Amino acid sequence: MNRRSSLANPEQLPPTSKEEGLLQIIIETPRGSRNKYSFDSAQNIFSLKKVLPLGMVFPYDFGFLPQTMAEDGGPLDALVLMDEPAVPGCLVQARLIGVVEAEQREGKKRVRNDWLLTVAAATHLYAPVLHYKDLPPGFLHQLQEFFANYHRLEGKEYEILGCKGPAGASQLIRKLRNSP
């Protein structure tokens, strides 16, 4: 009997959909979760990576863009704005609205930890958002605070260096694309 894996490796999926301009983001951690999930490519499954302290939750859905490799050794991270939380492993087609350029530091070691800002194609609440500058005032500051606290739990410092719009984000994606 020929047995096949029950789950395709989402890191190998195409980073863009057949629809013009939409990215295929794989959700790892849903909005509102204290659990941090990540895809374990060695075992081809999503696994629990850590649990946030009581009172701290992920403010938005987080995932990754397949067939990319970021400086931290994993696929390029992505935040997805959408009406309701997704589930780990869910593929969400999303429109690119920008990139947050960031750096994490552990002692003297500095690593870029940029992440894409995207809006789910299937959304009502965030449908008018076409550029990160369309987000409410204070949005990026609140994310800075979340990530600063999140990394502090691991003994790291985190700093947002700046933001770029969709063109700058597309340029980063081209730079970090894996060879086919």
Side-chain angles (χ1 to χ4, degrees), residues 33-154:
S33 178
R34 287 180 55 207
N35 292 339
K36 166 66 172 127
Y37 301 102
S38 65
F39 183 72
D40 180 340
S41 58
Q43 298 187 72
N44 219 28
I45 195 165
F46 286 84
S47 62
L48 179 65
K49 186 175 180 181
K50 69 173 86 171
V51 178
L52 298 180
L54 189 61
M56 188 174 182
V57 298
F58 284 87
Y60 299 97
D61 290 83
F62 287 92
F64 64 86
L65 182 64
Q67 295 190 26
T68 58
M69 184 60 66
E71 188 176 314
D72 66 2
L76 182 57
D77 294 327
L79 175 147
V80 182
L81 300 173
M82 48 200 262
D83 299 344
E84 293 292 326
V87 296
C90 181
L91 183 148
V92 175
Q93 292 189 351
R95 182 175 66 253
L96 188 60
I97 64 167
V99 61
V100 174
E101 299 173 318
E103 180 179 76
Q104 66 187 39
R105 293 181 294 270
E106 186 173 11
K108 293 182 180 182
K109 184 179 178 184
R110 296 173 180 263
V111 176
R112 285 295 290 265
N113 192 356
D114 302 336
W115 38 273
L116 302 173
L117 281 169
T118 68
V119 171
T123 186
H124 299 284
L125 185 61
Y126 296 99
V129 178
L130 302 175
H131 193 283
Y132 81 89
K133 290 181 180 179
D134 297 335
L135 296 169
F139 179 89
L140 291 174
H141 175 74
Q142 290 179 28
L143 283 177
Q144 161 71 24
E145 291 301 312
F146 170 78
F147 281 112
N149 290 322
Y150 176 82
H151 284 84
R152 193 175 298 122
L153 293 172
E154 296 179 335

Side-chain angles (χ1 to χ4, degrees), residues 25-36:
I25 306 298
I26 307 301
I27 300 299
E28 289 183 301
T29 301
R31 176 181 77 197
S33 178
R34 287 180 55 207
N35 292 339
K36 166 66 172 127

